[in-house]
Amino acid sequence: MSSLNPPPQPSPESDDQARAIEKWGTQRTTNLNHEIEASDLAVNEKNRVWWENLPMTYADWESQQREPVTAEDFDRTDGFYFGTNPYIREQVDFTSLAGKQVLEIGCGAGSAACAFARAGAHVTAVDITEQAVKLTRRNAELKGITNLEVLRMDAEKLDGLADGRFDFVYSWGVLHHSSNPERCYQQVARVMKPGGTGLIMVYHRNSMRYWLKGLYWLVVKGKVLQGHSFPSVQRFYTDGYYHKHYSASQCAESLHQAGLVTERTAVTHMSSRMIPFVPEGLRQWLKSRIGWLLVAHVRKSDS
Ligand SMILES: C[S@@+](CC[C@H](N)C(=O)[O-])C[C@H]1O[C@@H](n2cnc3c(N)ncnc32)[C@H](O)[C@@H]1O
């Protein structure tokens, strides 16, 4: 097993990268959405096909070479992952999970799964796409990690995973893309041990991004005339084919329905500036209130 290691440090380009990632609505993502929309696939198949075509690697959506290949490429991807998501670096205690059973749902290129494994956890990482499975396996292999199993699974039916198996379930920016996120929360509760904990990040409805981008696309771009609404117009500016945004109370209620207790929620944002030129103190304050990312820290009760 690899030695205990903290997560990789952010690369100096992380801020630029966060901006590139937030710059959804590129020609490529828009074309892909149109193609998928025209197909008669089931919703979760549309979700899967989107991510098979554009896996999450923290590379620019328009870039021709988006997939990490070498060990250096993966180190860069890991640096972008932890750099653009400062909340994970600051709030997830990787080393406390040594020896524990950890599940990551929606592992993307495997940056978090590898960090959990390097910290000594027994990790299972799942994703709905072959691409993510391939990338995560390669990331682990290049790092010499052996305590990580990677499986292709839909979070709505984690059939191969036993009830009560995991001490910690982690999912960052994934379940809101599934056609039925509430079904995913039920699966999280099922596979978590009694007394186990988890961290789930979904998109935040009371965020500046949701309302301003929504208004821009509805009014300035005229999508309201084609019958679009705030929820449906997200397709034009956000990643993935399908996404649900939650307020903190809606999220806690959905998790409660699934059998999970939300111990606390936090609002955060990527590393990039939400509004240019605002001073750092105000920037942090805004991020913690109207940021785009809503994080729920959950627990399954002992009984
Ligand atoms: C925005 S990416 C996030 C990836 C990674 N967590 C990260 O933050 O870099 C969303 C990921 O969720 C996966 N995904 C979407 N729906 C899923 C589902 N129903 N079950 C499992 N994985 C899913 C996608 O394939 C994709 O890899």
Side-chain angles (χ1 to χ4, degrees):
M1 180 184 300
S2 339
S3 58
L4 300 190
N5 271 319
Q9 288 307 299
S11 80
E13 308 128 286
S14 290
D15 221 39
D16 291 342
Q17 209 59 26
R19 249 174 256 122
I21 292 159
E22 286 182 77
K23 200 183 66 191
W24 311 104
T26 63
Q27 201 51 50
R28 189 182 270 176
T29 56
T30 307
N31 290 349
L32 180 57
N33 270 334
H34 284 150
E35 234 176 273
I36 291 176
E37 200 164 355
S39 74
D40 53 10
L41 294 170
V43 180
N44 225 18
E45 267 302 286
K46 293 185 175 184
N47 165 40
R48 186 186 67 76
V49 167
W50 201 100
W51 291 108
E52 289 287 15
N53 277 276
L54 287 175
M56 190 67 187
T57 59
Y58 290 79
D60 202 307
W61 297 101
E62 291 294 343
S63 158
Q64 286 312 308
Q65 178 45 48
R66 297 192 65 261
E67 286 182 29
V69 178
T70 64
E72 292 71 32
D73 294 343
F74 278 99
D75 287 348
R76 250 169 78 84
T77 304
D78 297 344
F80 288 145
Y81 178 85
F82 288 103
T84 55
N85 295 304
Y87 189 90
I88 302 172
R89 243 178 25 246
E90 290 158 12
Q91 300 289 329
V92 180
D93 185 357
F94 285 82
T95 47
S96 71
L97 294 164
K100 305 280 188 197
Q101 290 286 338
V102 170
L103 171 67
E104 179 176 14
I105 303 178
C107 52
S111 302
C114 288
F116 286 121
R118 280 187 143 179
H122 306 289
V123 185
T124 302
V126 302
D127 199 285
I128 200 169
T129 65
E130 282 298 345
Q131 282 280 23
V133 168
K134 184 191 81 183
L135 288 168
T136 301
R137 283 190 183 144
R138 175 105 181 114
N139 197 352
E141 185 192 338
L142 288 167
K143 290 180 169 66
I145 289 170
T146 53
N147 48 324
L148 166 57
E149 181 186 28
V150 193
L151 303 167
R152 191 168 92 75
M153 275 191 190
D154 180 351
E156 293 189 19
K157 33 185 183 312
L158 299 175
D159 286 349
L161 304 178
D163 293 2
R165 172 169 161 192
F166 295 98
D167 297 287
F168 186 71
V169 180
Y170 172 89
S171 187
W172 188 262
V174 175
L175 304 181
H176 48 229
H177 291 300
S178 209
S179 61
N180 189 334
E182 279 62 31
R183 217 177 274 159
C184 303
Y185 305 146
Q186 284 164 10
Q187 290 296 302
V188 171
R190 181 183 69 74
V191 299
M192 196 182 279
K193 277 184 186 161
T197 57
L199 182 154
I200 294 169
M201 185 277 275
V202 290
Y203 290 154
H204 184 212
R205 190 163 177 272
N206 295 334
S207 60
M208 195 174 83
R209 194 177 192 278
Y210 180 82
W211 295 110
L212 286 189
K213 289 243 180 195
L215 264 184
Y216 174 77
W217 279 87
L218 283 172
V219 179
V220 181
K221 295 274 209 176
K223 294 288 178 193
V224 69
L225 303 173
Q226 296 164 20
H228 281 284
S229 60
F230 274 98
S232 72
V233 84
Q234 296 164 59
R235 184 166 299 169
F236 298 99
Y237 65 84
T238 304
D239 59 335
Y241 177 73
Y242 172 90
H243 3 71
K244 183 164 178 175
H245 282 61
Y246 290 87
S247 67
S249 58
Q250 286 166 341
C251 182
E253 177 55 26
S254 288
L255 292 165
H256 171 73
Q257 293 295 330
L260 294 166
V261 177
T262 301
E263 296 199 309
R264 69 187 168 99
T265 53
V267 173
T268 184
H269 200 83
M270 290 180 160
S271 59
S272 60
R273 288 177 181 269
M274 280 175 12
I275 309 172
F277 312 120
V278 296
E280 183 58 20
L282 180 57
R283 172 192 182 189
Q284 293 305 338
W285 187 85
L286 287 169
K287 280 188 178 190
S288 66
R289 278 158 185 80
I290 52 170
W292 183 34
L293 314 180
L294 176 67
V295 188
H297 294 258
V298 297
R299 175 178 293 278
K300 180 169 163 181
S301 72
D302 279 317
S303 47

